Amino acid sequence: RRPALTRPGRYALIVIADAGPLIALAKIGALDTLIRLYDSILTPPAVYAEAVTAGSRLGADDAALLEAEYQRGAFKVHSPTLAQLPSPAQLGPGEEESIRLAIELKADWLLMDDSDARRAAELNFAAASVSTAVKGTLGVLVSASEQSHLTRTQAIELIEALKGRPDIWISAELCDQVIDTLRHTP
């Protein structure tokens, strides 16, 4: 299946995001990078509740940034109708709804950071016979560099910013591996 052309040389992709990548990118001021990569990003209601509603109650700056992007239409809430996962797993509400929505819409990408949830997503995608690929915050930054939305130096600086934040749970070791790859890729 080939998605519709949205801009010269760009195809519309179905992209579902869990809260982790949205929050992480907002915290380091890189939401615009995600928005340049994908024309539209869908999230289920539980992700909105976690990233915006709960974050706003805590007074989190990232929640205000995300709310503004939802208001602008860069992110859209879409409720899954799929009642349950083909291969049930212990997941948070946002993770489960994101996987169900990705299966239902036969999404091209699911953006998710948690490694256990990513494994559960891949098992469920296989069980549902969908070809949705999973990418996390680091993958978004690498893709942005590969597609010239960021220079390698900018991508490395953003990954360093992720690594330096105690409120983002992405392994420092994994960040270092990605930085090393970016530095040594021709």
Side-chain angles (χ1 to χ4, degrees), residues 2 5 12 21 45 47 51 68 75 96 102 137 143 175 186:
R2 189 91 176 161
L5 223 77
V47 166
F75 306 134
E96 182 176 330
T137 302
S143 291
C175 288

Side-chain angles (χ1 to χ4, degrees), residues 11-143:
Y11 291 91
L13 299 174
I14 298 173
V15 180
I16 311 298
D18 183 38
L22 296 180
I23 293 169
L25 291 167
K27 284 183 183 294
I28 62 167
L31 278 178
D32 61 323
T33 300
L34 179 61
I35 294 163
R36 282 190 306 241
L37 270 177
Y38 306 114
D39 291 318
S40 177
I41 296 134
L42 302 175
T43 66
V47 166
Y48 182 88
E50 180 181 344
V52 177
T53 307
S56 294
R57 274 193 291 251
L58 297 171
D61 292 338
D62 55 282
L65 293 171
L66 287 164
E67 171 92 43
E69 293 302 339
Y70 276 100
Q71 294 291 328
R72 202 173 63 74
F75 306 134
K76 296 177 181 83
V77 177
H78 191 91
S79 296
T81 58
L82 185 66
Q84 63 185 28
L85 294 173
S87 181
Q90 286 201 268
L91 300 164
E95 294 162 341
E96 182 176 330
E97 280 188 8
S98 294
I99 295 168
R100 286 189 297 144
L101 187 58
I103 291 169
E104 181 180 322
L105 298 179
K106 296 178 174 52
D108 297 288
W109 287 103
L110 171 61
L111 307 180
M112 182 175 278
D113 282 332
D114 182 86
S115 59
D116 291 336
R118 288 169 69 127
R119 278 190 290 281
E122 289 166 352
L123 285 171
N124 276 280
F125 296 156
S129 298
V130 297
S131 59
T132 302
V134 182
K135 175 188 315 200
T137 302
L138 298 174
V140 167
L141 295 173
V142 169
S143 291

Side-chain angles (χ1 to χ4, degrees), residues 146-167:
E146 290 171 346
Q147 294 182 29
S148 299
H149 295 294
L150 293 173
T151 65
R152 275 192 215 167
T153 301
Q154 290 169 319
I156 289 168
E157 287 170 356
L158 289 169
I159 295 168
E160 290 285 0
L162 283 171
K163 196 171 93 167
R165 291 196 62 121
D167 57 350

